[in-house]
Each structure stands twice: as structure tokens, then as C-alpha cells.
Amino acid sequence: MKIRTTFFALLILATISLPKISQAQYRAFVLGIKAAPSISWLKTDEKTYNSEGVKPGFSWGLATEIYFAKNYAFTTGFNFTYQGGKLSYPDIISGDVVSLTRNYRIRYLEFPAVLKLKTNEMGLFRYYGQIGLGFGVRINSKGKDEYKDGVNLISEPYADIDKYTRLFKASMILGGGIEYPFDKNTALILGVNFNNGFTNALKGDNVVNSTYQHSGKPNFVELNIGIMF
């Protein structure tokens, strides 16, 4: 008798709680696409190496958000990123020591692993912040060299430099932005991400002074535009 009474009590409690549970439900998996114009550069810590400005870049890819609570998600996917920058350093060309400026274009396939934190809807928007890591695999790399031959400025065409760039890279990702929901299942994403590379993308020793290594850590800031479904 006690067991039957307890069963009916639990059934009534579950029936009363069901609407509240339903309201607390959220989509556990969200898929989307992104495109992002960017500004990229190479940071160097090596002596006699100098960063010589920024380059325009671009990335696009697929994003997935896996929710473990209503406003908290693990974000991953893949991005094809086009990065680069300019470095100047001493080199030897035709037996002469010159100051070489190399313009780098490096393409990566990157896999982010990011924690995303969102607010509830505030008016028309939801706001988010994110932090995590990015792991990249180099697809190809090209370099364009400029140097002075006496008084003349020599400019070489872009050439393959895969033997001077590393296959893998890692970075820290910081970002934030807004979401504008069209309906319950679709939202427009607009945000800014800073991708701070902490591994050297280059390899090899300097031919003028072999105690120095080629050094350049890829960094970029991107305007992230996406649609989540």
C-alpha cells in the first residue's frame, strides 16, 4: 500500500513539474557556417628580425556548438584560414649580406576548441564571450622576397616555401559578439576574434648567423560573420 501511495505521489509531482522542465529545455547541438575578413601579422622575438606590418586575410568554415547548459557551449568545427605578414632579417644573396623582407602567405586548416558563454536575450540580441585554443595544420605557404642589390630594389615573385614553415601551429582564441535570432532555430552571429599564435610558424636557421632561428608567430584579428541553424 505504501509503495502504491508513493508511486502516485511521484507521478503527481512529475506531472506538476513537467511544464517547468519543458521550459528549461534547450537545443543541445547547433550547426552553422562562418566567414571572416581579417588583418594578420607575424610576431617575432628573435634578434635582428623585425615585423614589417599587417596583411589582409580571410577565413571560412563550419562551426558547431555543443551545449551542456542553456547559455554555455563547447564550440568546435574547422576553418580554412589565409594568414600572413612581413618579416625583415639579414640574409646572404649572391655572396652579399642584404636586408631581406619576406612577404608570407600561409594557409591553414584550423580546428578550434572554445568555451562560449552567452547571456539571455536582452532586447533583440544575445551577447557572448568566448575563450579557447586553436590547432592548425599548414596546407601551403608562399613567400615573396624583396631586397636591395646595391641601389636597386629587387622584387622576386611568390614561391613555395613549405620547407621553411612548420606543419602544425597552436594559438589562443579570445572573442565576443552578438547574436540576433531570426526565430527559435536560426540566428545571425556578428563578433570579433583575436587569434594569438604562441608557436613558431617558421623553421630553419639564419644563414648570416646560425645562432638565430627564423621566428614568426602568426596573429590575426577577424570580423566573424555567421549563421547558426
Side-chain angles (χ1 to χ4, degrees):
M1 185 66 178
K2 291 182 179 181
I3 296 176
R4 185 179 299 176
T5 303
T6 303
F7 173 77
F8 281 112
L10 291 174
L11 182 61
I12 293 170
L13 180 63
T15 303
I16 296 172
S17 302
L18 185 59
K20 296 182 180 180
I21 295 174
S22 298
Q23 291 174 5
Q25 288 180 346
Y26 53 87
R27 295 174 64 198
F29 184 83
V30 180
L31 185 67
I33 55 176
K34 61 159 283 186
S38 64
I39 297 175
S40 62
W41 66 96
L42 290 171
K43 179 183 177 182
T44 180
D45 300 321
E46 192 65 272
K47 294 180 179 179
T48 73
Y49 282 65
N50 296 296
S51 180
E52 299 292 347
V54 300
K55 285 177 60 69
F58 188 76
S59 68
W60 64 272
L62 179 72
T64 59
E65 296 179 353
I66 304 169
Y67 284 84
F68 52 89
K70 180 182 178 181
N71 293 332
Y72 306 97
F74 172 73
T75 301
T76 185
F78 65 85
N79 300 313
F80 289 98
T81 67
Y82 301 82
Q83 304 172 13
K86 290 184 180 181
L87 293 177
S88 63
Y89 53 88
D91 201 358
I92 296 177
I93 297 177
S94 300
D96 297 323
V97 177
V98 300
S99 178
L100 177 72
T101 299
R102 175 164 287 178
N103 193 335
Y104 292 87
R105 294 195 312 195
I106 309 176
R107 185 182 179 191
Y108 290 100
L109 175 60
E110 185 179 61
F111 302 93
V114 175
L115 178 64
K116 186 173 185 179
L117 313 175
K118 300 199 298 187
T119 67
N120 292 322
E121 288 189 14
M122 302 173 66
L124 298 176
F125 303 103
R126 300 181 71 176
Y127 299 87
Y128 71 87
Q130 58 185 21
I131 183 172
L133 300 174
F135 304 95
V137 180
R138 186 206 66 220
I139 298 174
N140 59 54
S141 56
K142 295 184 180 296
K144 179 180 180 181
D145 295 342
E146 292 183 349
Y147 59 93
K148 279 190 174 182
D149 181 11
V151 295
N152 299 316
L153 180 64
I154 307 299
S155 181
E156 303 287 350
Y158 277 102
D160 184 270
I161 56 168
D162 283 352
K163 64 180 180 180
Y164 298 116
T165 57
R166 300 182 187 274
L167 183 59
F168 301 105
K169 80 175 186 78
S171 60
M172 181 175 66
I173 299 173
L174 296 171
I178 60 175
E179 292 186 3
Y180 174 70
F182 294 111
D183 53 41
K184 292 183 179 180
N185 297 324
T186 309
L188 174 67
I189 308 295
L190 182 65
V192 176
N193 293 332
F194 173 45
N195 193 299
N196 181 28
F198 52 77
T199 57
N200 186 11
L202 310 181
K203 63 181 180 181
D205 298 329
N206 186 279
V207 295
V208 176
N209 188 338
S210 61
T211 60
Y212 296 148
Q213 291 185 330
H214 294 310
S215 172
K217 299 176 182 179
N219 292 262
F220 64 91
V221 176
E222 64 177 1
L223 176 63
N224 186 36
I225 304 168
I227 298 179
M228 306 302 295
F229 303 99

